[in-house]
Amino acid sequence: MIQVEIDPHSGFCGGVIRAISTAEQSLSEGGRLYSLGAIVHNEEELARLEARGLVTIDREDLRAMDGPVSGQTVLIRAHGEPPQVYGRVRELGLRLIDCTCPVVLRLQSDIREAHARLAASGGQIVIFGKIGHPEVLGLVGQVDGGVTVVENPGQLQEKIASGAIRTDRDIELFSQTTMSPEGYGKVRELLEGQMGAGARLSVHDTICRQVASRQRELAEFAREHDVVVFVAGRESSNGKVLCELCRRANVRTYHIGSAAALRREWFRPDDRVGVCGATSTPKWLLEEVAAAIKNLQ
């Protein structure tokens, strides 16, 4: 008989829990609530919230609004936004609910302070993160230039070779909060080996501690089971990182968005199946998938 266990550490991180609970409270009070970008990168959870009245918009929608707009509320999700967005919200007269994760807020402040330190010496900020990711766009937007984003060591090497990153000048290195600690370590090592004489490299520990500890726990969880069913939305950056981590620990890892994607042929009668997910995966969805696996028997 197939045994199914849900990873006790999977599910929403603290920042996402805060954003969703705040949105639910606002929706219960009535009126329209706009979320600037997807409040969570999980299609199933988004559909649940949109059924309650949440409307997802993007920055283009915000720019296109005619102001002032009275009686409407916009929510800034856990990823955060650059200062220009706050200015546009004030200009429109929208009510603002700011759910930027405290970890991200600290990182935004650190970026601004580093930029001020480096201004006189001509140094630059390097961010290890996903190019175009909402959190990264918010970080880059904190300052006026002097920031370069790299996704991996290979890309870092290319930017050093092209001169886009100057290793003969001071560099301050940061990471997007949800990136892999292992990947950040590799970027750090490569940069340390390339720094010129007299140039200083300052490395900041900016990966969320909850995310970092989850990676260690999840690898062990994957090794303890015969099959791993990883549940996450298609757009979840954190989900892609964690699913690949599971796959390295257990080749029989399957990535799905909902119970409808399960396949009977993935499982053997005596398998121990582990169900886990990203920081954007709701507990209710993990439970739904676990129940569906049991019903395959």
Side-chain angles (χ1 to χ4, degrees), residues 28-206:
S28 71
E29 296 168 358
R32 179 167 291 183
L33 176 63
Y34 295 107
S35 171
L36 188 54
I39 194 171
V40 61
H41 288 152
N42 184 275
E43 295 81 8
E44 302 293 313
E45 180 68 2
L46 270 180
R48 184 185 74 84
L49 291 169
E50 286 170 357
R52 295 191 56 178
L54 183 69
V55 179
T56 301
I57 62 172
D58 58 24
R59 291 181 188 174
E60 288 300 320
D61 295 322
L62 195 66
R63 280 192 283 267
M65 282 184 180
D66 293 326
V69 183
S70 61
Q72 306 288 354
T73 303
V74 64
L75 180 146
I76 291 179
R77 58 193 170 163
H79 295 310
E81 292 289 342
Q84 297 89 337
V85 169
Y86 291 85
R88 178 58 177 160
V89 169
R90 287 193 296 272
E91 181 182 300
L92 289 169
L94 288 160
R95 176 174 173 250
L96 176 67
I97 299 177
D98 192 351
C99 290
T100 305
C101 173
V103 177
V104 175
L105 282 173
R106 284 197 298 274
L107 176 52
Q108 290 176 346
S109 176
D110 290 345
I111 293 284
R112 293 192 297 270
E113 291 173 4
H115 186 263
R117 283 193 298 270
L118 293 166
S121 65
Q124 67 187 122
I125 293 167
V126 175
I127 297 175
F128 172 55
K130 295 292 183 182
I131 294 171
H133 187 278
E135 180 188 320
V136 172
L137 293 175
L139 296 175
V140 173
Q142 296 300 311
V143 296
D144 183 21
V147 179
T148 302
V149 181
V150 297
E151 295 190 350
N152 52 59
Q155 199 171 82
L156 173 62
Q157 187 63 64
E158 290 172 3
K159 290 185 180 292
I160 292 173
S162 70
I165 293 177
R166 296 279 302 271
T167 55
D168 60 337
R169 299 179 181 179
D170 291 349
I171 291 175
E172 298 209 23
L173 178 64
F174 297 86
S175 174
Q176 177 185 332
T177 61
T178 56
M179 294 297 280
S180 158
E182 180 184 1
Y184 193 34
K186 290 178 180 178
V187 166
R188 171 182 181 165
E189 288 174 11
L190 176 58
L191 203 46
E192 285 174 337
Q194 297 279 341
M195 294 300 290
R200 184 172 58 89
L201 172 65
S202 299
V203 181
H204 299 265
D205 180 13
T206 55

